[in-house]
Every structure is written in C-alpha cells, then in structure tokens.
Amino acid sequence: MLNNITLGRFFPGNSFIHKLDPRVKILLMIVLLFTVFLSANYLSLFVNFFAIMLFVSLTKINLKTYLKSMKFILFIVLFTGMLNIFYAKGTAIFKLGVFVITDEGFNNSIFVSMRLIMLILVSSLLTFTTSPTSLTYAIERLIRPLAKFKIKTHELAMMMTIALRFIPTLLEETDKIIDAQKSRGANLETGNILNRIKSFVPVLVPLFVSSFRRAYDLALAMECRCYKGGEGRTCMKILRIGSNDIWAILIVFGLLVFVLIINSLFPAVRL
Amino acid sequence: MKNFIDIVDLKFSYNNEGNNAKNILNGINLNIKKGEFLAILGANGSGKSTLIKHLNAMLLPTKGNVFVNGINTKDEGKLYDIRSTVGLVLQNPDNQIVASIVEDEVAFGPENLGVAPKSIRERVDMALKLVDMYEYRKSTTYSLSGGQKQRIAIAGIIAMQPECILLDEPTSMLDPEGRKEVLDTIKSLNKNYGITIVLITHYMEEAANADRIAIINEGKIVRIDAPRIIFSEVAFLDKYQLSIPTVVELIHKLKLNGLPLNNMALDERECVNILKKYFNSLE
Amino acid sequence: MAKIEIQDLTYIYSEGTPAAKKALSNINLCIKKNEFIGIIGRTGSGKSTFAKHLNALLKPTEGKVILDGKDIWDEPKEIRNVRFKVGMVFQYPEHQLFEETVYKDIAFGPSNMGLPKDEIEKKVYMACEFINLDFDLLYKSPFELSGGEKRKVAIAGVIAMDPEVLILDEPTAGFDPKSKEQLLYQLHCYYKNRGKTVILISHNMDDIAKYSDRIIVLDNGNLVMLDSPKRVFSQIDLLKSIGLEPPQITSIMQALKEEFPDLSDEILSVDEAVEALSNFVKNR
C-alpha cells in the first residue's frame, strides 16, 4: 500500500553524487535551494534548472524515479499554477470568455511551478543518494557545535537513526493489524470522520502496544552490545572531504554567483 | 581445568515492592566450559531466559554469584568487558536491529566499544564473511529474510570479538530454511572458531547438536546430560513437557515392539543407519 | 458441493508500477464443504496472498473467488459478510488484541456482525469453551495474560464469529508441544464435529500430514499440487525441487525403501511406521 512512494527513499548506488560527503551534500542542498529562490528571471531560472538536471543525471538513477516522487506533489504544482494563472493582475495576454490570462499571472505560475519542481528535485537528490544512516551521521556532525549549549546531539541523531530504521517495520505492522481487524469485521473505510477516527482504535492500540514491546527489546539488545551513549563512541565511517566534494562545492557556488550575475545584468520578471 | 562460566547457587526474583517475591530462579549451579555447546530446554515460564540474561550481566543475582572468566558479574567496573565477551541474540529478528544498513548494524557494537575506525571495518568484514552475509553488506536490513536478519544479529555480536554467544530462541520465529541457516551458522562458529554457545530452544532437533543439554523446570536445573542419554529417556522428556523427536519416538516404539535396538539416534541419518544395520543383520 | 471455488485467480502486487510482482498466477481449485485443507509452500510462495483472497482482504487482479456459488466481489458493499463467513487467524494473532477486557475483545467480531447482546454473550462463552480458555480470564485485561493465553483469546475472537470457513496461518508458532497438540485437536473438532471447513497454513509438515484431507502445494505463485497427504508426500523429488521436505518419518521410510524395496514409503506417522517395520521384521 505505502510501498509505492519514492519521495524520501534511498537508492543505493556508486555515482559521483552518491560518493559525496553527506555533510557537503546537506550544505550544498541548502545553497541550491537558495539559488532556486534567487532566480529572478527566465534565464537564471533556466540555468538553474539545467544545473539541477545535470546533477540528476549524475546520480545515474532513472529519471522516472524522480518523476514518480513528484507525482505526489504534481497536484499541488498544477493547483498553484492554475491559481496563479487566473488570479493575478497585469496586462491580459489571452482571453477566453470569463477566463483571462495576464502576463503577471503567466509568469507567476511558471515561476511557482518551476520552483516547486526544482525544490523536490533538489531534496530528492539528497535523499535518493544518501543512506539514512549517513544522513543522520552527517546531521549529528553538523549540529555537534550545539553540544556546547548542552543539547544532546548524539542522542538526537541516534533517535533519528532508530526512527528511520523502524518506519518500514511499523508500516508493515500497520498493514497486518488493519487486515486482522478487517477480518473481524472492523469497518475502516466508511462513515463520517468521527466514526472513522473511533474505528481506528482497534488499529492504534495494538500498534502502540507492539511499539512498546519493540522498544523494550531494542533497548535490551543495545545494552547487550555495550551501548552507553555517545561518550567514547567511535564510528566506522569517517567523513573526509575529497576532491569530488571540492568540485561539487565549486560547481554549486559557481552556479550561485552566476545566477546573481544574471540577476543583476537582466531585469527581474514582474511577479 | 578452569570453567569459562561458573554459576553458583543463583537465585533471582523481581522485587515487586516486596510482595511475595517468588523466585524465578531457585538455586542454580552450572558450569560452562570454554568452547562448549550447551542447549537449554524447558517449558515457557521455566526461567530459561532469566537464566541466560545473568550470563552477560543484563540481570544480577538476588542471591549467589555468576562468574565469567573468573570475573563476578556484580563487578560494575567490568560490565562492558563481560558484555563484549558474552553476546546475546534475541528471539525477534525485527526488534534487535538498530541500523538501516547491514554493515552499519554490524559496526554498532565495536563503535560502542570505541574501537578504532579502521579496525571496525576489518571486524565488520570478517564477521559478515563468517555468517555468509558479506555480499549483503550494503543492503538495507529491512529487506532481508528472517534467517538473514538473525545472521546479521549474530555478526553484530561476532564483531565485538566475543568468546561466547547466548541465543534466546533465535529460530522460533523463522521458517524451516531460516532455521537451518541460523543453526548451521551457530554450529560452524562453535566448531571452527571455538566460540562457546548457549542456546535456548524449543526444537529438540536443534538441541541434538549440543554437547550437553540442561533441562530447567520451575527455576531449577533438573537434569544436565549428553543429548544421546537424555533422548533415550522418553518418559523423562514427557514428564517435562518436552517434545519427543520423531527419530527418538520411532526407535523407542520399535524397542517396545520387541526390536533389539541398542543405540539411540539423534538425527535422521543415524536412525536410518541403525535400522539398515539391524535389517541386514537379520539375513 | 464446492464451498469455495477459485477460478483463474491471478494477483499482481503494486500493479502498474515498476515494482509490480506477480504473486499468484492462474490458480484454479475447489474446496469442499467440511474439508480440512493444508497449505504448504516456502516463504514467498504465495500462501498468505492466496488466503487473503479467500476472505476478501485482497481483490483478484484477474479471476474469481466464488463462495457458496456467488462471486464474492459481486457486491463490494456487502464484502464484510464474506469476512464473517470466512474467518481468518493471522500469524501471531495475539498482536491484534486491543480491548480493555478479554470479553470485549472476543466480542468485537460478533458485535461487528450486529448480533443482539445475548447472542454475543453466547458466542463469546462458546468460543472460550471451545478454545479451553478459563472463564475467570474474561474480565481481565488481555495484556495481563501469558503469551499462550493471549493467542487463545485472539483465536477465540475469530471463532466467536462462528465462521463456516476458518483459515489459520501458523497458529501454533512458538507453542510448547502440549499446547500445540491441544490447539490442533480443537481445530480438528471444529471441522469434524461442527461440519466446518478448516484451512491450515503451516511449515510443519508433520501437522499438515496428520490433519489434512487434502493439501494445496504452492510454489512461486503457482498451484503445484492439490491432493491427499499420502500422494503429495510421496512426490519427494518434486517437493525437494520447490524447497519443501516431507515429514521426517516419511523421509526415513523412503530412505529405508531404497535398500529394502518391500517397505512401503506412503507412511505419514510414527505409529504407521512402527507397524510397517515390525511386520517387515516378522516376515524376514
């Protein structure tokens, strides 16, 4: 049921992007998102899109997979696009009965849709190519300076690791419990919202109970394997910034500068 | 020879605010030798799981003592020495895996112990090869079969370089294939690498592989002996609600029917051989 | 008359996506009223997927599931009635308990059926008696019970709906030998004394051989065999080729037969084997 969603999934691989340091990837993703929002005219938008597509092709993951992750959002893109087309001021460029498309509306919808699409592409670039473990590890490293403010950074990261690890297990369990209660005649599909919420009690209670049972087991297993928090802990995977990372940083910052230059040379599109 | 694990007069009860504290373990004395394969059998609630949690200091005795390599498990300073020497594999393969990627999972133990990154990598590769899961090192733990998950759990312990592995019904949630994979792994670790094994199981066929079987009932060890001897006493097995392996039942009933069979078979091949030998002697 | 008829049943998981996988392909079979059916096959062979079609948890991609002469998907709005007729006990059913008391939990199915109160009460007690559950436990919380008792409560919750067809997926997993025998015997009674159909999915060939009238053998989504235990387990090469083993006693007899061709290998229980072997010795 929930297996079809590609958004946020990790696809193992060995590409240039896969091999980048996850810390670098996270930071570059943030820079890329900035660049997307800084693109103020068609040329910079196009350059930006082209650069992102270049990264996408570098991951060697099928373009279809990216498109599938967008299926989820496509509705929102279309909806906002439509809204912007019809509900904006400006000079009319197209008329059909009551429908009027203005230049501002047109620009607006293109920019909003393109930005949304690029946003999803950029975040997919990160999640598709970075395993949840290295992602959490990178986040742990990036937030480590916060430990000075007495924030338990290791514990936060460990919680994320475990949460990610148990998501598929709990999804599967939910499916099983739903099936079991349906077999006993539970009606989960029809009725008003209040009744529906009530009818999910037979699903939620067992789910909680089993989560606690799993948590107990896991804590036991972790203790058996000498887990004692972040202190004195080492990590098998050492993060090292290599030449690939330098290249990626140069390309992304080059893109940022390029976009800024284009913005200053050409007028911004009126939105 | 010095014993690897010594259990002396072990008594244990959960102290539920002093209300009639019933002993779950009631005076256990047991020695486990280095390199031994010990199976523990007993009905549900007999205290098996409670017993093995004492062997790696997950539980501490209410009375009596447990020594691992001569170290008392009550010695708090040596807690992590004991837990890295004696690892524990649990029943449910889904609940004891911490990481999403196989190699990260196996690295978890050594990382906790503060082992240097380079040598963690070596240990992880070695452990994965031992359980025959090396080619899966980059896979997600979620996508594995039950038997594979249990082998990863075992690898996670091996990477801590233990001398002993405790397994609490590791196969009870697996299908026959998974059960065989895990049992073969356990046997190979014991035979080829001299790792001490303590296995709790419901399956008599698995216990048949052990050097000794300990039968526990109501918190006491009622019997400890070689499988061949224990299996030949069908009435005894029956008394403690243990299942009687098919081969044992067959030979036992044939004997009752007057066939002069002297040996007890532990597995199918032995059983077939005993019968063949007897039939051939008739001619 | 056929209780359940399966016609050209094909099921494809996540159809229309790149992850699409054929889980069942073109299955045709009939299950009679008052029959004890065993289903065997290695993990991933399609046993559970097949079973989920019988009580309408899955809808066939192609083909039909016919219950009492009617396609169960003819009236999708009435699909719950199918689930009341065809009860399903999942693996580790104790994980589905949720009510405050054992009584309420067992009554969940019957009350979904819309039965009057006194009828529900009757069904709950009937189910408890059937599964040998102590009446004292009825007003306890199900979460206070032991593992074995929880399992019994969960099974009672399905029995209380009094289904005409009862499907169970590995119901004895983790049981000690005594409780296991007890439960299997009760299932046998459900079929024998009450004229119901019981479908047992299990990896334990000894149990399947002992109780089934007929056995469904699945491999990779295909129906390989549907026949009596004796016939199924005599096909040793075929079984091995799809990763299954006959009951141990059968394979012992088959090994002996290789050297002593007079012996029968169509043997499914130790007692049969003892008789056959003793006779063999006498005639030597």
Side-chain angles (χ1 to χ4, degrees):
Chain A
M1 171 171 91
L2 297 153
N3 276 338
N4 286 327
I5 302 168
T6 59
L7 189 69
R9 276 239 300 253
F10 166 56
F11 297 92
N14 218 1
S15 73
F16 174 79
I17 308 273
H18 278 90
K19 282 191 280 194
L20 288 180
D21 184 309
R23 289 170 301 178
V24 172
K25 262 193 269 189
I26 293 176
L27 291 177
L28 290 186
M29 183 188 85
I30 297 172
V31 175
L32 269 178
L33 292 181
F34 262 108
T35 348
V36 166
F37 281 100
L38 285 176
S39 306
N41 55 40
Y42 278 104
L43 184 60
S44 52
L45 193 72
F46 176 75
V47 169
N48 215 326
F49 184 69
F50 182 77
I52 289 172
M53 287 315 283
L54 183 79
F55 288 134
V56 164
S57 69
L58 276 177
T59 61
K60 291 184 180 150
I61 295 170
N62 201 329
L63 193 63
K64 265 190 194 160
T65 320
Y66 286 93
L67 291 178
K68 257 182 76 185
S69 75
M70 247 173 292
K71 214 161 79 181
F72 212 59
I73 316 289
L74 200 67
F75 172 74
I76 305 176
V77 171
L78 281 177
F79 186 73
T80 46
M82 290 302 248
L83 265 184
N84 277 308
I85 263 194
F86 294 119
Y87 294 92
K89 287 169 191 148
T91 348
I93 52 171
F94 180 79
K95 248 185 192 172
L96 190 90
V98 283
F99 296 108
V100 181
I101 296 177
T102 65
D103 55 350
E104 269 179 40
F106 183 75
N107 291 337
N108 234 335
S109 66
I110 295 279
F111 268 79
V112 168
S113 317
M114 283 305 286
R115 279 177 179 169
L116 262 174
I117 289 171
M118 281 152 78
L119 217 126
I120 294 159
L121 281 177
V122 170
S123 44
S124 295
L125 267 174
L126 179 71
T127 57
F128 282 10
T129 62
T130 321
S131 78
T133 1
S134 34
L135 207 56
T136 42
Y137 183 50
I139 293 172
E140 185 191 353
R141 284 304 181 80
L142 288 172
I143 61 176
R144 191 166 279 180
L146 295 178
K148 285 195 188 104
F149 304 103
K150 289 198 174 159
I151 292 171
K152 298 198 166 183
T153 54
H154 166 78
E155 278 73 9
L156 273 173
M158 183 52 77
M159 272 157 60
M160 275 171 60
T161 310
I162 292 172
L164 283 167
R165 141 78 184 87
F166 274 92
I167 284 172
T169 311
L170 290 178
L171 285 181
E172 194 185 75
E173 176 125 27
T174 312
D175 270 352
K176 264 188 207 159
I177 297 171
I178 287 178
D179 272 353
Q181 307 300 25
K182 269 189 184 168
S183 292
R184 293 207 279 166
N187 196 350
L188 304 174
E189 283 120 353
T190 52
N192 62 35
I193 292 208
L194 199 70
N195 275 334
R196 272 204 191 185
I197 293 172
K198 240 169 85 186
S199 68
F200 261 92
V201 168
V203 176
L204 291 178
V205 172
L207 202 58
F208 274 116
V209 172
S210 95
S211 303
F212 279 115
R213 197 184 52 238
R214 288 182 195 281
Y216 174 82
D217 273 8
L218 186 71
L220 183 70
M222 285 170 72
E223 259 190 79
C224 285
R225 289 163 74 186
C226 303
Y227 180 70
K228 45 191 182 246
E231 222 170 292
R233 210 167 178 271
T234 48
C235 194
M236 175 172 70
K237 289 176 179 160
I238 313 167
L239 297 181
R240 212 175 267 127
I241 295 186
S243 56
N244 279 352
D245 298 303
I246 308 276
W247 276 113
I249 293 172
L250 285 179
I251 294 171
V252 171
F253 275 91
L255 181 71
L256 177 68
V257 171
F258 194 56
V259 164
L260 288 176
I261 291 174
I262 295 174
N263 278 351
S264 63
L265 290 182
F266 299 94
V269 169
R270 269 203 308 157
L271 297 174
Chain B
M1 194 191 119
K2 233 180 89 185
N3 287 314
F4 173 51
I5 293 176
D6 266 314
I7 303 171
V8 187
D9 287 327
L10 166 61
K11 286 187 183 167
F12 179 80
S13 65
Y14 286 103
N15 278 333
N16 282 342
E17 288 130 35
N19 62 357
N20 60 324
K22 201 184 144 222
N23 280 348
I24 298 172
L25 297 177
N26 216 340
I28 293 212
N29 286 287
L30 177 65
N31 306 312
I32 302 170
K33 285 192 258 323
K34 203 160 169 56
E36 183 176 5
F37 183 165
L38 176 75
I40 300 180
L41 300 177
N44 293 335
S46 58
K48 296 170 297 188
S49 299
T50 314
L51 173 61
I52 68 164
K53 280 183 196 143
H54 278 84
L55 304 186
N56 71 340
M58 285 306 299
L59 292 174
L60 295 176
T62 310
K63 276 190 187 130
N65 288 300
V66 177
F67 298 93
V68 175
N69 263 343
I71 303 167
N72 193 324
T73 54
K74 288 173 182 165
D75 186 346
E76 266 181 56
K78 301 277 175 115
L79 186 64
Y80 296 108
D81 289 341
I82 291 172
R83 289 197 185 145
S84 59
T85 311
V86 181
L88 174 61
V89 175
L90 302 172
Q91 177 183 32
N92 191 327
D94 277 324
N95 295 0
Q96 52 187 322
I97 290 177
V98 184
S100 304
I101 302 292
V102 168
E103 57 179 11
D104 295 341
E105 171 60 23
V106 179
F108 182 73
E111 285 175 345
N112 292 336
L113 293 172
V115 176
K118 211 179 143 198
S119 93
I120 297 181
R121 171 59 70 184
E122 284 162 13
R123 287 181 182 204
V124 167
D125 289 352
M126 188 271 301
L128 282 170
K129 281 174 188 160
L130 270 192
V131 301
D132 201 15
M133 286 294 289
Y134 184 66
E135 58 194 294
Y136 290 92
R137 63 192 181 281
K138 304 271 182 203
S139 309
T140 55
T141 46
Y142 172 69
S143 58
L144 303 177
S145 75
Q148 289 172 331
K149 282 180 191 161
Q150 286 300 54
R151 277 149 67 202
I152 293 302
I154 293 174
I157 302 233
I158 299 282
M160 300 200 299
Q161 301 187 330
E163 294 174 47
C164 173
I165 301 182
L166 316 168
L167 303 106
D168 190 353
E169 298 191 35
T171 60
S172 74
M173 297 180 79
L174 307 181
D175 62 8
E177 275 169 71
R179 222 149 62 210
K180 192 173 174 303
E181 285 169 22
V182 171
L183 188 67
D184 287 347
T185 307
I186 296 171
K187 282 200 292 198
S188 144
L189 288 176
N190 178 249
K191 244 196 196 125
N192 305 332
Y193 301 91
I195 289 174
T196 311
I197 300 284
V198 180
L199 170 73
I200 293 183
T201 180
H202 271 305
Y203 293 101
M204 298 299 269
E205 288 79 2
E206 292 176 4
N209 293 288
D211 298 318
R212 288 192 300 165
I213 294 179
I215 292 171
I216 179 165
N217 187 50
E218 289 174 0
K220 279 191 170 149
I221 291 182
V222 291
R223 185 75 185 269
I224 181 155
D225 229 324
R228 204 175 295 277
I229 299 170
I230 287 186
F231 283 8
S232 55
E233 295 171 34
V234 171
F236 177 81
L237 293 176
D238 218 31
K239 185 179 167 196
Y240 290 106
Q241 295 184 18
L242 301 168
S243 65
I244 298 162
T246 308
V247 289
V248 171
E249 192 187 349
L250 178 67
I251 295 213
H252 175 71
K253 285 187 171 166
L254 286 173
K255 272 189 195 169
L256 288 182
N257 257 17
L259 267 63
L261 303 169
N262 295 319
N263 291 326
M264 179 43 77
L266 285 182
D267 59 29
E268 202 177 308
R269 213 186 49 215
E270 278 186 29
C271 174
V272 170
N273 286 339
I274 290 174
L275 291 172
K276 276 186 182 170
K277 210 170 142 193
Y278 171 63
F279 293 155
N280 284 322
S281 73
L282 289 175
E283 289 172 357
Chain C
M1 188 195 129
K3 182 78 192 167
I4 298 176
E5 202 182 334
I6 309 290
Q7 287 179 356
D8 301 320
L9 172 60
T10 295
Y11 185 73
I12 299 170
Y13 268 112
S14 349
E15 210 195 354
T17 70
K21 193 183 158 271
K22 209 176 216 185
L24 294 173
S25 56
N26 204 26
I27 292 187
N28 283 287
L29 59 87
C30 272
I31 293 170
K32 288 188 244 99
K33 190 172 155 30
N34 193 17
E35 205 176 9
F36 199 116
I37 294 277
I39 304 187
I40 60 176
R42 57 199 283 189
T43 305
S45 59
K47 298 182 302 252
S48 304
T49 311
F50 176 74
K52 281 189 201 167
H53 278 89
L54 301 183
N55 81 337
L57 285 173
L58 290 176
K59 194 175 179 182
T61 309
E62 274 165 52
K64 284 177 184 168
V65 177
I66 294 165
L67 177 68
D68 290 327
K70 243 178 73 183
D71 185 342
I72 58 171
W73 287 101
D74 271 354
E75 287 171 272
K77 282 195 176 154
E78 301 300 311
I79 207 69
R80 284 206 304 164
N81 291 335
V82 175
R83 296 186 185 139
F84 297 135
K85 274 188 179 177
V86 182
M88 175 105 162
V89 176
F90 283 87
Q91 236 177 328
Y92 303 105
E94 59 273 27
H95 294 170
Q96 75 197 34
L97 302 176
F98 71 97
E99 278 285 11
E100 294 151 62
T101 66
V102 170
Y103 181 94
K104 280 190 186 169
D105 209 291
I106 299 178
F108 181 65
S111 39
N112 283 332
M113 294 168 83
L115 298 176
K117 240 189 178 142
D118 54 331
E119 188 77 8
I120 292 177
E121 194 177 328
K122 234 193 263 169
K123 297 251 179 191
V124 171
Y125 278 94
M126 178 275 293
C128 275
E129 206 167 22
F130 182 81
I131 209 83
N132 254 333
L133 192 75
D134 208 334
F135 288 159
D136 294 344
L137 299 181
L138 279 177
Y139 295 97
K140 276 195 174 176
S141 157
F143 301 109
E144 288 171 24
L145 308 183
S146 76
E149 286 166 343
K150 278 187 200 166
R151 175 85 54 93
K152 282 184 174 180
V153 171
I155 296 175
V158 177
I159 298 272
M161 302 190 298
D162 207 11
E164 291 160 27
V165 179
L166 179 62
I167 310 171
L168 306 102
D169 193 349
E170 293 284 1
T172 60
F175 268 25
D176 59 65
K178 212 172 174 187
S179 345
K180 187 182 101 169
E181 267 324 303
Q182 217 172 35
L183 178 61
L184 288 171
Y185 178 71
Q186 281 149 355
L187 296 180
H188 177 75
C189 294
Y190 194 71
Y191 138 82
K192 200 84 196 170
N193 304 344
R194 295 173 58 179
K196 311 278 189 174
T197 305
V198 173
I199 300 176
L200 176 66
I201 303 175
S202 180
H203 284 296
N204 187 324
M205 299 301 158
D206 291 352
D207 299 341
I208 292 274
K210 187 169 171 189
Y211 289 101
S212 313
D213 295 325
R214 290 192 300 157
I215 299 174
I216 294 175
V217 186
L218 293 175
D219 176 47
N220 210 2
N222 294 300
L223 176 66
V224 182
M225 270 190 273
L226 171 52
D227 218 326
S228 68
K230 281 211 157 101
R231 292 240 187 89
V232 166
F233 289 123
S234 63
Q235 304 270 354
I236 188 154
D237 293 331
L238 178 60
L239 289 178
K240 285 208 167 135
S241 73
I242 58 174
L244 297 174
E245 299 271 349
Q248 203 176 25
I249 193 70
T250 312
S251 83
I252 289 172
M253 292 303 284
Q254 279 158 347
L256 287 173
K257 191 182 168 151
E258 279 173 21
E259 205 164 318
F260 308 99
D262 306 351
L263 277 168
S264 158
D265 60 352
E266 288 202 344
I267 275 169
L268 298 175
S269 74
V270 172
D271 291 333
E272 280 174 18
V274 170
E275 203 188 311
L277 291 173
S278 302
N279 285 335
F280 176 75
V281 170
K282 268 182 215 150
N283 297 333
R284 275 256 148 161

